[in-house]
Amino acid sequence: MSDVVDRRSGWTFLTNHARVLIAVAADPQTRLRDIAATIGITERATQGIVSDLEEAGYLERIRIGRRNRYQIDPSAELRHHTEAGIPVQALIDMFRHRDLGAGRAGDPG
């Protein structure tokens, strides 16, 4: 029974795809290795997720010299039928406050 409880306690609300998208939104010039380290997945998994997001039209890779810059399509809609019509920008906006320092003394957020 302990193993079942341990597995269940490890679940989270966001998928790694959502986490990668949020990380890219926070820093469009971020490196895949930095995203991987932040999220706690491998660089190879991060690369696969970025490819998935690109193929689905959520982001575009723009090559600048030896680096990539990512551009998100904020109007792309979430994939699950229960979120039909909700733009990915709504998801990004839910987490943007963390990157802007909300919650500090004097901040309204």
Side-chain angles (χ1 to χ4, degrees):
M1 182 70 176
S2 176
D3 288 341
V4 172
V5 172
D6 290 343
R7 277 188 304 206
R8 287 187 181 168
S9 66
W11 69 272
T12 62
F13 280 102
L14 296 179
T15 66
N16 287 337
H17 280 68
R19 287 186 183 98
V20 168
L21 189 70
I22 291 165
V24 168
D27 182 3
Q29 297 183 69
T30 191
R31 297 179 305 175
L32 294 182
R33 89 173 48 141
D34 296 332
I35 294 172
T38 299
I39 294 173
I41 61 176
T42 66
E43 190 172 345
R44 186 175 179 101
T46 304
Q47 185 176 18
I49 290 170
V50 167
S51 292
D52 288 347
L53 294 171
E54 187 175 24
E55 287 174 23
Y58 288 97
L59 62 82
E60 176 185 359
R61 262 185 261 223
I62 302 164
R63 193 79 173 161
I64 300 174
R66 294 178 45 188
R67 301 277 307 261
N68 288 322
R69 183 178 196 296
Y70 302 94
Q71 184 171 336
I72 294 174
D73 178 356
S75 67
E77 295 181 357
L78 298 175
R79 291 174 54 105
H80 197 272
H81 67 89
T82 60
E83 291 104 28
I86 299 174
V88 74
Q89 186 65 49
L91 174 69
I92 293 167
D93 289 345
M94 281 194 289
F95 293 91
R96 187 170 306 278
H97 72 280
R98 290 177 19 167
D99 300 319
L100 299 178
R104 291 184 299 192
D107 282 348

XYZ file of all heavy atoms in Angstrom:
851
model
N 0.822 -1.202 0.000
C 0.000 0.000 0.000
C 0.864 1.264 0.000
O 0.514 2.252 -0.586
C -0.937 -0.045 1.219
C -1.872 1.117 1.330
S -3.102 1.026 0.028
C -4.109 2.388 0.450
N 2.019 1.194 0.633
C 2.912 2.342 0.707
C 3.365 2.784 -0.683
O 3.456 3.971 -0.956
C 4.116 2.011 1.573
O 5.019 3.084 1.558
N 3.658 1.817 -1.575
C 4.083 2.163 -2.932
C 2.989 2.898 -3.690
O 3.248 3.827 -4.434
C 4.483 0.909 -3.715
C 5.802 0.325 -3.226
O 6.563 1.059 -2.564
O 6.057 -0.851 -3.509
N 1.735 2.481 -3.496
C 0.604 3.132 -4.158
C 0.478 4.564 -3.672
O 0.311 5.486 -4.460
C -0.710 2.351 -3.906
C -1.902 3.122 -4.426
C -0.635 0.973 -4.543
N 0.595 4.790 -2.382
C 0.508 6.136 -1.826
C 1.648 6.994 -2.344
O 1.458 8.146 -2.723
C 0.518 6.086 -0.277
C 0.628 7.484 0.304
C -0.727 5.391 0.235
N 2.873 6.438 -2.399
C 4.023 7.192 -2.898
C 3.834 7.617 -4.342
O 4.130 8.752 -4.702
C 5.309 6.367 -2.772
C 5.743 6.191 -1.322
O 5.258 6.953 -0.460
O 6.555 5.290 -1.065
N 3.330 6.723 -5.187
C 3.100 7.071 -6.599
C 2.031 8.141 -6.714
O 2.153 9.068 -7.492
C 2.692 5.845 -7.398
C 3.850 5.012 -7.844
C 3.371 3.968 -8.774
N 2.317 3.218 -8.085
C 1.974 1.983 -8.325
N 2.549 1.343 -9.286
N 1.031 1.380 -7.646
N 0.986 8.022 -5.963
C -0.100 8.999 -6.041
C 0.327 10.355 -5.506
O -0.145 11.372 -5.972
C -1.326 8.495 -5.286
C -2.023 7.397 -6.012
C -3.300 7.052 -5.337
N -3.950 5.966 -6.048
C -4.965 5.295 -5.573
N -5.451 5.569 -4.384
N -5.508 4.332 -6.279
N 1.188 10.387 -4.512
C 1.603 11.669 -3.960
C 2.575 12.398 -4.885
O 2.865 13.561 -4.675
C 2.229 11.482 -2.582
O 3.436 10.748 -2.701
N 3.079 11.723 -5.909
C 4.024 12.334 -6.828
C 3.385 13.043 -8.009
O 4.086 13.623 -8.818
N 2.069 13.021 -8.122
C 1.439 13.646 -9.283
C 1.395 15.161 -9.111
O 1.497 15.687 -8.017
C 0.040 13.078 -9.532
C -0.980 13.448 -8.500
C -1.267 12.787 -7.346
C -1.857 14.579 -8.534
N -2.250 13.436 -6.661
C -2.641 14.536 -7.373
C -2.056 15.606 -9.431
C -3.609 15.498 -7.073
C -3.015 16.562 -9.146
C -3.774 16.493 -7.975
N 1.287 15.871 -10.238
C 1.203 17.330 -10.231
C 0.111 17.767 -11.197
O -0.350 16.985 -12.027
C 2.535 17.975 -10.665
O 2.833 17.582 -11.995
C 3.673 17.569 -9.731
N -0.284 19.012 -11.092
C -1.343 19.524 -11.955
C -0.873 19.817 -13.370
O -1.637 19.701 -14.315
C -1.971 20.796 -11.368
C -2.966 20.521 -10.292
C -2.626 20.681 -8.971
C -4.240 20.082 -10.599
C -3.530 20.413 -7.970
C -5.157 19.816 -9.611
C -4.808 19.977 -8.282
N 0.363 20.222 -13.535
C 0.856 20.592 -14.854
C 1.706 19.484 -15.458
O 2.483 18.841 -14.772
C 1.708 21.864 -14.766
C 0.996 23.126 -14.311
C 1.975 24.276 -14.245
C -0.164 23.465 -15.223
N 1.583 19.327 -16.752
C 2.436 18.386 -17.474
C 3.785 19.038 -17.742
O 3.941 20.265 -17.618
C 1.817 18.009 -18.834
O 1.795 19.182 -19.666
C 0.421 17.437 -18.690
N 4.746 18.241 -18.130
C 6.044 18.800 -18.508
C 5.919 19.677 -19.743
O 6.668 20.646 -19.899
C 7.066 17.691 -18.722
C 7.508 17.078 -17.409
O 7.410 17.704 -16.351
N 7.990 15.855 -17.458
N 4.966 19.380 -20.620
C 4.753 20.233 -21.792
C 4.351 21.645 -21.340
O 4.850 22.641 -21.869
C 3.678 19.635 -22.705
C 4.181 18.536 -23.565
N 4.573 17.316 -23.066
C 4.356 18.467 -24.916
C 4.970 16.539 -24.065
N 4.851 17.219 -25.196
N 3.465 21.730 -20.371
C 3.047 23.039 -19.858
C 4.220 23.747 -19.198
O 4.425 24.949 -19.396
C 1.893 22.881 -18.870
N 5.003 23.009 -18.436
C 6.153 23.608 -17.755
C 7.180 24.157 -18.757
O 7.737 25.234 -18.556
C 6.806 22.590 -16.837
C 5.999 22.302 -15.613
C 6.766 21.398 -14.651
N 5.921 21.106 -13.522
C 5.215 19.994 -13.395
N 5.270 19.065 -14.325
N 4.453 19.801 -12.339
N 7.434 23.412 -19.818
C 8.381 23.879 -20.839
C 7.837 25.130 -21.512
O 8.573 26.110 -21.695
C 8.683 22.771 -21.877
C 9.419 23.332 -23.089
C 9.482 21.636 -21.240
N 6.573 25.133 -21.849
C 5.968 26.300 -22.493
C 6.064 27.530 -21.588
O 6.413 28.625 -22.045
C 4.509 26.018 -22.848
C 3.836 27.078 -23.710
C 4.419 27.057 -25.120
C 2.344 26.839 -23.760
N 5.803 27.366 -20.316
C 5.880 28.470 -19.364
C 7.326 28.964 -19.238
O 7.574 30.172 -19.185
C 5.295 28.048 -18.001
C 3.775 27.857 -18.130
C 5.628 29.061 -16.918
C 3.136 27.115 -16.972
N 8.278 28.049 -19.226
C 9.693 28.431 -19.147
C 10.115 29.218 -20.382
O 10.840 30.214 -20.277
C 10.566 27.189 -18.977
N 9.661 28.794 -21.547
C 9.989 29.502 -22.788
C 9.333 30.883 -22.789
O 9.940 31.867 -23.218
C 9.561 28.682 -24.024
C 9.614 29.509 -25.291
C 10.436 27.439 -24.151
N 8.116 30.973 -22.284
C 7.437 32.269 -22.214
C 8.184 33.231 -21.295
O 8.270 34.423 -21.576
C 5.999 32.083 -21.732
N 8.749 32.697 -20.228
C 9.491 33.531 -19.283
C 10.805 34.029 -19.875
O 11.247 35.135 -19.571
C 9.759 32.756 -17.997
N 11.424 33.212 -20.726
C 12.702 33.589 -21.342
C 12.811 32.938 -22.717
O 13.252 31.796 -22.829
C 13.877 33.152 -20.464
C 15.228 33.555 -21.042
O 15.266 34.228 -22.105
O 16.248 33.180 -20.439
N 12.397 33.646 -23.762
C 12.400 33.079 -25.117
C 13.775 32.685 -25.648
O 13.867 31.980 -26.636
C 11.797 34.193 -25.982
C 11.065 35.069 -25.045
C 11.805 34.984 -23.736
N 14.850 33.126 -24.991
C 16.196 32.785 -25.445
C 16.855 31.742 -24.545
O 18.048 31.482 -24.662
C 17.049 34.041 -25.513
C 16.493 35.023 -26.537
C 17.359 36.239 -26.673
O 18.473 36.149 -27.176
N 16.858 37.368 -26.223
N 16.091 31.144 -23.660
C 16.630 30.165 -22.734
C 17.173 28.944 -23.461
O 16.739 28.627 -24.571
C 15.549 29.742 -21.710
O 16.171 28.997 -20.669
C 14.448 28.931 -22.356
N 18.146 28.295 -22.870
C 18.719 27.083 -23.457
C 17.939 25.871 -22.961
O 17.420 25.853 -21.843
C 20.185 26.941 -23.066
C 21.046 28.071 -23.598
C 22.473 27.928 -23.199
N 22.567 27.814 -21.728
C 23.676 27.584 -21.071
N 24.807 27.432 -21.717
N 23.693 27.505 -19.760
N 17.871 24.848 -23.797
C 17.160 23.627 -23.421
C 17.736 23.024 -22.152
O 16.996 22.533 -21.299
C 17.184 22.614 -24.562
C 16.428 23.013 -25.823
C 16.503 21.884 -26.854
C 14.997 23.374 -25.536
N 19.044 23.084 -21.994
C 19.653 22.510 -20.789
C 19.210 23.261 -19.542
O 19.061 22.678 -18.478
C 21.165 22.450 -20.914
C 21.926 23.666 -20.458
C 23.411 23.443 -20.458
N 23.826 22.845 -21.690
C 24.934 23.134 -22.341
N 25.772 24.014 -21.844
N 25.240 22.572 -23.468
N 18.977 24.573 -19.657
C 18.508 25.347 -18.511
C 17.053 25.014 -18.175
O 16.686 24.922 -17.000
C 18.674 26.842 -18.776
C 20.133 27.242 -18.931
O 21.005 26.556 -18.344
O 20.408 28.219 -19.649
N 16.234 24.837 -19.202
C 14.850 24.424 -18.977
C 14.828 23.060 -18.298
O 14.124 22.859 -17.310
C 14.059 24.366 -20.302
C 13.913 25.760 -20.909
C 12.679 23.741 -20.078
C 13.324 25.765 -22.308
N 15.613 22.143 -18.819
C 15.668 20.785 -18.266
C 16.060 20.806 -16.795
O 15.438 20.133 -15.967
C 16.642 19.928 -19.074
N 17.073 21.576 -16.465
C 17.537 21.646 -15.077
C 16.474 22.246 -14.164
O 16.259 21.762 -13.049
C 18.824 22.463 -14.998
N 15.791 23.267 -14.639
C 14.756 23.916 -13.848
C 13.579 22.985 -13.591
O 13.073 22.897 -12.474
C 14.251 25.186 -14.568
O 15.352 26.086 -14.720
C 13.148 25.862 -13.790
N 13.157 22.285 -14.620
C 11.981 21.418 -14.523
C 12.314 20.086 -13.857
O 11.475 19.492 -13.199
C 11.375 21.190 -15.920
C 10.830 22.510 -16.454
C 10.272 20.140 -15.884
C 10.367 22.436 -17.877
N 13.545 19.624 -14.050
C 13.940 18.349 -13.472
C 13.729 17.178 -14.415
O 13.401 16.067 -13.995
N 13.910 17.451 -15.721
C 13.833 16.396 -16.724
C 15.116 16.432 -17.538
O 15.929 17.347 -17.384
C 12.582 16.543 -17.637
C 12.603 17.877 -18.401
C 11.302 16.409 -16.814
C 11.455 18.051 -19.390
N 15.301 15.445 -18.395
C 16.521 15.422 -19.191
C 16.461 16.445 -20.321
O 15.385 16.885 -20.731
C 16.743 14.031 -19.816
O 15.704 13.770 -20.758
C 16.792 12.945 -18.747
N 17.632 16.792 -20.813
C 17.701 17.706 -21.946
C 17.048 17.078 -23.180
O 16.378 17.758 -23.952
C 19.154 18.075 -22.230
C 19.310 19.187 -23.234
C 20.748 19.669 -23.369
O 21.583 19.358 -22.508
O 21.020 20.354 -24.378
N 17.225 15.773 -23.317
C 16.608 15.064 -24.449
C 15.081 15.113 -24.368
O 14.400 15.328 -25.371
C 17.098 13.626 -24.484
C 16.623 12.866 -25.695
C 17.266 11.479 -25.707
N 16.823 10.724 -26.837
C 17.523 10.553 -27.944
N 18.717 11.081 -28.039
N 17.056 9.838 -28.938
N 14.530 14.945 -23.177
C 13.075 15.037 -22.991
C 12.597 16.450 -23.303
O 11.561 16.638 -23.947
C 12.686 14.643 -21.572
N 13.364 17.433 -22.868
C 13.017 18.831 -23.144
C 13.018 19.088 -24.644
O 12.106 19.729 -25.165
C 14.015 19.778 -22.445
O 14.037 19.477 -21.046
C 13.631 21.225 -22.653
N 14.012 18.560 -25.339
C 14.093 18.725 -26.791
C 12.877 18.099 -27.468
O 12.297 18.683 -28.389
C 15.377 18.087 -27.309
C 15.630 18.287 -28.766
C 16.985 17.702 -29.183
O 17.568 16.878 -28.485
N 17.466 18.132 -30.326
N 12.459 16.936 -27.008
C 11.274 16.280 -27.560
C 10.017 17.089 -27.326
O 9.156 17.205 -28.205
N 9.904 17.663 -26.141
C 8.727 18.475 -25.818
C 8.700 19.736 -26.679
O 7.645 20.110 -27.214
C 8.702 18.817 -24.315
C 8.405 17.547 -23.506
C 7.681 19.912 -24.024
C 8.596 17.692 -22.010
N 9.847 20.384 -26.844
C 9.912 21.577 -27.699
C 9.512 21.206 -29.127
O 8.762 21.938 -29.782
C 11.302 22.247 -27.641
C 11.478 23.271 -28.749
C 11.509 22.894 -26.279
N 9.952 20.054 -29.597
C 9.565 19.593 -30.941
C 8.058 19.362 -31.016
O 7.417 19.749 -32.001
C 10.308 18.307 -31.306
O 11.676 18.574 -31.477
N 7.489 18.741 -29.984
C 6.034 18.537 -29.936
C 5.299 19.870 -30.007
O 4.333 20.027 -30.771
C 5.608 17.834 -28.637
C 5.987 16.378 -28.565
O 6.380 15.788 -29.593
O 5.893 15.819 -27.445
N 5.743 20.832 -29.201
C 5.093 22.141 -29.160
C 5.229 22.880 -30.487
O 4.293 23.548 -30.931
C 5.668 22.977 -28.011
C 5.374 22.467 -26.607
C 6.185 23.240 -25.571
C 3.891 22.525 -26.291
N 6.369 22.702 -31.130
C 6.588 23.335 -32.432
C 5.689 22.694 -33.496
O 5.032 23.401 -34.272
C 8.055 23.217 -32.825
C 8.414 23.997 -34.072
C 9.893 23.962 -34.366
O 10.600 23.035 -33.940
O 10.348 24.879 -35.065
N 5.639 21.375 -33.524
C 4.794 20.669 -34.497
C 3.317 21.006 -34.313
O 2.567 21.060 -35.287
C 4.993 19.163 -34.371
C 6.307 18.674 -34.911
C 6.541 17.191 -34.650
O 5.555 16.453 -34.451
O 7.721 16.789 -34.629
N 2.902 21.230 -33.077
C 1.498 21.539 -32.790
C 1.170 23.013 -33.008
O 0.013 23.417 -32.889
C 1.161 21.142 -31.353
N 2.185 23.828 -33.325
C 1.947 25.234 -33.625
C 1.942 26.161 -32.424
O 1.560 27.320 -32.534
N 2.402 25.681 -31.268
C 2.440 26.523 -30.078
C 3.645 27.447 -30.063
O 3.591 28.524 -29.488
C 2.447 25.678 -28.799
C 1.117 25.037 -28.535
C 0.868 23.723 -28.908
C 0.094 25.753 -27.938
C -0.357 23.132 -28.686
C -1.137 25.171 -27.709
C -1.361 23.856 -28.079
O -2.577 23.285 -27.867
N 4.738 27.004 -30.661
C 5.919 27.862 -30.709
C 6.687 27.635 -31.986
O 6.483 26.647 -32.693
C 6.805 27.671 -29.476
C 7.433 26.319 -29.183
C 8.697 26.102 -29.978
C 7.771 26.265 -27.701
N 7.547 28.599 -32.259
C 8.408 28.542 -33.436
C 9.846 28.758 -32.970
O 10.109 29.616 -32.125
C 8.006 29.653 -34.408
C 8.882 29.758 -35.620
C 8.514 30.951 -36.495
O 7.568 31.683 -36.179
O 9.219 31.139 -37.506
N 10.749 27.948 -33.508
C 12.185 28.106 -33.234
C 12.770 29.042 -34.268
O 12.590 28.837 -35.468
C 12.900 26.770 -33.380
C 13.140 26.027 -32.128
C 13.947 24.803 -32.442
N 13.058 23.646 -32.533
C 13.342 22.477 -32.013
N 14.481 22.279 -31.406
N 12.494 21.496 -32.116
N 13.468 30.038 -33.812
C 14.138 30.978 -34.707
C 15.628 30.895 -34.403
O 16.048 31.139 -33.277
C 13.619 32.416 -34.487
C 12.099 32.457 -34.712
C 14.350 33.390 -35.400
C 11.433 33.689 -34.161
N 16.399 30.522 -35.404
C 17.843 30.348 -35.228
C 18.527 31.709 -35.299
O 18.341 32.463 -36.260
C 18.367 29.430 -36.330
C 19.736 28.945 -36.091
C 19.701 27.822 -35.103
N 21.042 27.253 -35.016
C 21.438 26.516 -34.011
N 20.621 26.226 -33.047
N 22.643 26.046 -33.995
N 19.306 32.038 -34.265
C 20.084 33.281 -34.243
C 21.522 32.886 -33.929
O 21.852 32.588 -32.781
C 19.544 34.268 -33.191
C 18.088 34.624 -33.496
C 20.416 35.514 -33.128
C 17.416 35.484 -32.453
N 22.338 32.837 -34.964
C 23.713 32.373 -34.785
C 23.711 30.921 -34.354
O 23.142 30.072 -35.019
N 24.325 30.657 -33.211
C 24.386 29.294 -32.690
C 23.285 29.004 -31.680
O 23.229 27.914 -31.125
C 25.747 29.075 -32.028
C 26.881 29.111 -33.020
C 28.221 28.956 -32.375
N 28.240 27.890 -31.382
C 29.234 27.641 -30.559
N 30.311 28.402 -30.610
N 29.175 26.664 -29.699
N 22.440 29.974 -31.432
C 21.392 29.836 -30.406
C 20.011 29.835 -31.043
O 19.838 30.251 -32.188
C 21.467 31.015 -29.411
C 22.759 31.187 -28.672
C 22.911 30.311 -27.451
N 21.846 30.376 -26.494
C 21.852 31.078 -25.383
N 22.896 31.839 -25.094
N 20.839 31.041 -24.558
N 19.047 29.393 -30.278
C 17.646 29.450 -30.701
C 16.915 30.498 -29.878
O 17.216 30.720 -28.705
C 16.947 28.102 -30.478
C 17.391 27.056 -31.454
O 17.610 27.337 -32.619
N 17.529 25.834 -30.985
N 15.967 31.121 -30.506
C 15.014 31.991 -29.825
C 13.661 31.385 -30.137
O 13.434 30.896 -31.238
C 15.086 33.408 -30.365
C 14.167 34.363 -29.630
C 14.311 35.786 -30.166
N 13.754 36.769 -29.293
C 12.475 36.874 -28.984
N 11.604 36.033 -29.496
N 12.036 37.800 -28.177
N 12.776 31.397 -29.155
C 11.474 30.775 -29.332
C 10.395 31.840 -29.310
O 10.437 32.769 -28.501
C 11.226 29.747 -28.228
C 12.280 28.676 -28.204
C 13.385 28.777 -27.370
C 12.202 27.587 -29.053
C 14.368 27.803 -27.367
C 13.185 26.615 -29.056
C 14.267 26.730 -28.204
O 15.233 25.769 -28.215
N 9.452 31.705 -30.223
C 8.329 32.630 -30.282
C 7.058 31.820 -30.110
O 6.784 30.883 -30.880
C 8.314 33.371 -31.618
C 7.230 34.403 -31.701
C 7.384 35.266 -32.931
O 8.486 35.406 -33.474
N 6.296 35.828 -33.390
N 6.285 32.163 -29.112
C 5.041 31.447 -28.809
C 3.891 32.097 -29.551
O 3.813 33.325 -29.639
C 4.781 31.465 -27.287
C 5.859 30.651 -26.578
C 3.385 30.936 -26.966
C 5.797 30.708 -25.069
N 2.984 31.283 -30.062
C 1.742 31.784 -30.652
C 0.726 31.858 -29.522
O 0.152 30.841 -29.130
C 1.241 30.852 -31.751
C -0.084 31.310 -32.354
O -0.659 32.314 -31.875
O -0.552 30.644 -33.287
N 0.478 33.034 -28.967
C -0.401 33.153 -27.807
C -1.863 32.820 -28.100
O -2.638 32.542 -27.194
C -0.250 34.615 -27.388
C 0.201 35.319 -28.621
C 0.996 34.307 -29.416
N -2.230 32.803 -29.374
C -3.621 32.508 -29.725
C -3.882 31.016 -29.938
O -5.039 30.605 -30.060
C -4.021 33.276 -30.987
O -3.292 32.792 -32.101
N -2.812 30.209 -29.964
C -3.007 28.758 -30.110
C -3.827 28.264 -28.921
O -3.602 28.676 -27.783
C -1.655 28.051 -30.173
N -4.783 27.400 -29.194
C -5.703 26.966 -28.141
C -5.219 25.703 -27.449
O -4.538 24.865 -28.054
C -7.092 26.745 -28.738
C -7.694 28.037 -29.258
C -9.091 27.860 -29.840
O -9.589 26.718 -29.907
O -9.668 28.881 -30.228
N -5.564 25.583 -26.187
C -5.235 24.387 -25.430
C -5.841 23.172 -26.109
O -6.891 23.257 -26.747
C -5.723 24.519 -23.986
C -5.093 25.672 -23.203
C -5.728 25.791 -21.817
C -3.590 25.497 -23.080
N -5.204 22.016 -25.978
C -5.538 20.838 -26.774
C -6.718 20.018 -26.280
O -7.418 19.409 -27.073
C -4.319 19.920 -26.852
C -3.210 20.518 -27.680
C -1.967 19.681 -27.622
N -2.140 18.296 -27.974
C -1.757 17.748 -29.115
N -1.188 18.481 -30.024
N -1.934 16.475 -29.341
N -6.923 19.937 -24.987
C -7.955 19.043 -24.467
C -9.347 19.606 -24.761
O -9.568 20.814 -24.681
C -7.766 18.856 -22.964
C -8.495 17.678 -22.424
N -9.797 17.757 -21.989
C -8.112 16.390 -22.260
C -10.180 16.564 -21.570
N -9.171 15.716 -21.721
N -10.280 18.743 -25.068
C -11.623 19.195 -25.457
C -12.322 19.979 -24.342
O -13.160 20.827 -24.611
C -12.489 18.008 -25.916
C -12.819 17.043 -24.824
N -13.924 17.171 -24.036
C -12.164 15.935 -24.398
C -13.949 16.185 -23.153
N -12.879 15.413 -23.354
N -11.948 19.752 -23.095
C -12.587 20.495 -22.003
C -12.062 21.924 -21.894
O -12.652 22.735 -21.196
C -12.412 19.776 -20.640
O -11.011 19.659 -20.358
C -13.071 18.414 -20.659
N -10.949 22.205 -22.574
C -10.403 23.567 -22.600
C -10.541 24.191 -23.982
O -9.838 25.151 -24.310
C -8.917 23.565 -22.192
C -8.672 23.235 -20.748
C -8.165 21.807 -20.567
O -7.531 21.268 -21.493
O -8.414 21.233 -19.496
N -11.426 23.652 -24.779
C -11.615 24.152 -26.145
C -11.883 25.659 -26.117
O -12.686 26.142 -25.320
C -12.766 23.427 -26.820
N -11.179 26.367 -26.972
C -11.387 27.803 -27.098
C -10.540 28.646 -26.155
O -10.551 29.863 -26.246
N -9.803 28.023 -25.240
C -8.968 28.782 -24.308
C -7.573 28.929 -24.920
O -6.910 27.932 -25.200
C -8.879 28.086 -22.936
C -10.276 27.977 -22.316
C -7.931 28.847 -22.009
C -10.315 27.177 -21.035
N -7.116 30.157 -25.117
C -5.794 30.351 -25.717
C -4.683 30.004 -24.724
O -4.831 30.169 -23.507
C -5.769 31.837 -26.069
C -6.734 32.464 -25.121
C -7.789 31.418 -24.849
N -3.559 29.551 -25.250
C -2.417 29.193 -24.423
C -1.932 30.398 -23.616
O -1.356 30.245 -22.545
C -1.303 28.564 -25.288
C -0.600 29.600 -26.120
C -0.323 27.799 -24.443
N -2.217 31.588 -24.082
C -1.824 32.798 -23.349
C -2.453 32.827 -21.958
O -1.834 33.322 -21.013
C -2.214 34.059 -24.133
C -1.696 35.339 -23.495
C -0.182 35.416 -23.502
O 0.448 35.197 -24.529
N 0.419 35.725 -22.368
N -3.639 32.263 -21.803
C -4.288 32.229 -20.488
C -3.454 31.407 -19.502
O -3.304 31.785 -18.335
C -5.702 31.661 -20.608
N -2.906 30.301 -19.963
C -2.046 29.477 -19.120
C -0.774 30.238 -18.761
O -0.354 30.278 -17.599
C -1.684 28.170 -19.841
C -0.675 27.273 -19.132
C -1.292 26.675 -17.869
C -0.195 26.177 -20.065
N -0.174 30.861 -19.739
C 1.056 31.621 -19.509
C 0.804 32.744 -18.510
O 1.588 32.964 -17.585
C 1.614 32.156 -20.841
C 2.074 30.986 -21.713
C 2.732 33.167 -20.607
C 2.342 31.350 -23.155
N -0.300 33.444 -18.672
C -0.619 34.564 -17.786
C -0.799 34.129 -16.338
O -0.478 34.885 -15.420
C -1.874 35.291 -18.261
C -1.649 36.087 -19.529
O -0.469 36.312 -19.906
O -2.648 36.476 -20.158
N -1.290 32.914 -16.125
C -1.461 32.427 -14.753
C -0.135 32.345 -14.016
O -0.087 32.476 -12.806
C -2.121 31.046 -14.742
C -3.600 31.079 -14.945
S -4.367 29.513 -14.535
C -3.802 28.479 -15.873
N 0.949 32.127 -14.743
C 2.245 31.941 -14.114
C 3.189 33.119 -14.294
O 4.252 33.158 -13.695
C 2.894 30.652 -14.640
C 2.137 29.455 -14.184
C 1.109 28.936 -14.955
C 2.415 28.874 -12.966
C 0.379 27.849 -14.517
C 1.687 27.788 -12.515
C 0.672 27.277 -13.293
N 2.806 34.079 -15.090
C 3.678 35.224 -15.370
C 3.989 36.021 -14.101
O 5.076 36.542 -13.938
C 3.058 36.140 -16.418
C 4.009 37.239 -16.851
C 3.542 38.024 -18.039
N 3.207 37.245 -19.199
C 4.086 36.789 -20.098
N 5.362 37.007 -19.937
N 3.687 36.118 -21.141
N 3.063 36.102 -13.184
C 3.278 36.892 -11.971
C 4.506 36.428 -11.193
O 5.179 37.207 -10.555
C 2.046 36.849 -11.067
C 1.851 35.528 -10.396
N 1.293 34.448 -11.044
C 2.171 35.115 -9.146
C 1.275 33.420 -10.209
N 1.793 33.792 -9.056
N 4.843 35.152 -11.276
C 6.020 34.634 -10.575
C 7.286 35.261 -11.121
O 8.211 35.542 -10.376
C 6.118 33.115 -10.722
C 5.060 32.398 -9.956
C 5.105 30.927 -10.141
N 6.384 30.448 -10.648
C 6.748 29.190 -10.655
N 5.940 28.289 -10.187
N 7.892 28.814 -11.137
N 7.329 35.486 -12.408
C 8.524 36.022 -13.049
C 8.629 37.539 -12.897
O 9.691 38.103 -13.062
C 8.545 35.668 -14.533
C 8.546 34.168 -14.733
O 9.250 33.478 -13.971
O 7.827 33.691 -15.618
N 7.519 38.172 -12.598
C 7.519 39.626 -12.460
C 7.681 40.060 -11.015
O 7.599 41.233 -10.701
C 6.223 40.210 -13.052
C 6.017 39.945 -14.540
C 4.696 40.522 -15.008
C 7.164 40.533 -15.352
N 7.859 39.102 -10.103
C 8.115 39.443 -8.715
C 6.865 39.710 -7.899
O 6.921 40.389 -6.878
N 5.715 39.228 -8.313
C 4.489 39.421 -7.539
C 4.656 38.792 -6.177
O 5.350 37.805 -6.002
C 3.303 38.806 -8.264
N 4.015 39.375 -5.220
C 4.064 38.839 -3.877
C 5.088 39.521 -2.998
O 5.105 39.337 -1.804
N 5.948 40.370 -3.583
C 6.898 41.126 -2.766
C 6.164 42.271 -2.115
O 5.129 42.734 -2.583
C 8.033 41.664 -3.634
C 8.936 40.574 -4.155
C 10.067 41.168 -4.919
N 9.527 41.921 -6.055
C 10.233 42.377 -7.064
N 11.516 42.193 -7.085
N 9.686 43.025 -8.047
N 6.707 42.766 -1.048
C 6.102 43.899 -0.329
C 5.905 45.056 -1.291
O 6.817 45.416 -2.029
C 6.997 44.313 0.832
N 4.715 45.606 -1.311
C 4.413 46.744 -2.162
C 3.876 46.364 -3.534
O 3.393 47.210 -4.261
N 3.972 45.079 -3.910
C 3.446 44.638 -5.201
C 1.964 44.358 -5.071
O 1.525 43.735 -4.103
C 4.143 43.367 -5.680
C 5.528 43.634 -6.267
O 5.827 44.822 -6.502
O 6.266 42.674 -6.487
N 1.156 44.761 -6.062
C -0.281 44.492 -5.997
C -0.624 43.031 -6.218
O -1.678 42.590 -5.829
C -0.868 45.371 -7.119
C 0.267 45.578 -8.067
C 1.526 45.531 -7.231
N 0.269 42.248 -6.889
C -0.063 40.888 -7.272
C 0.171 39.916 -6.213
O -0.048 38.810 -6.080
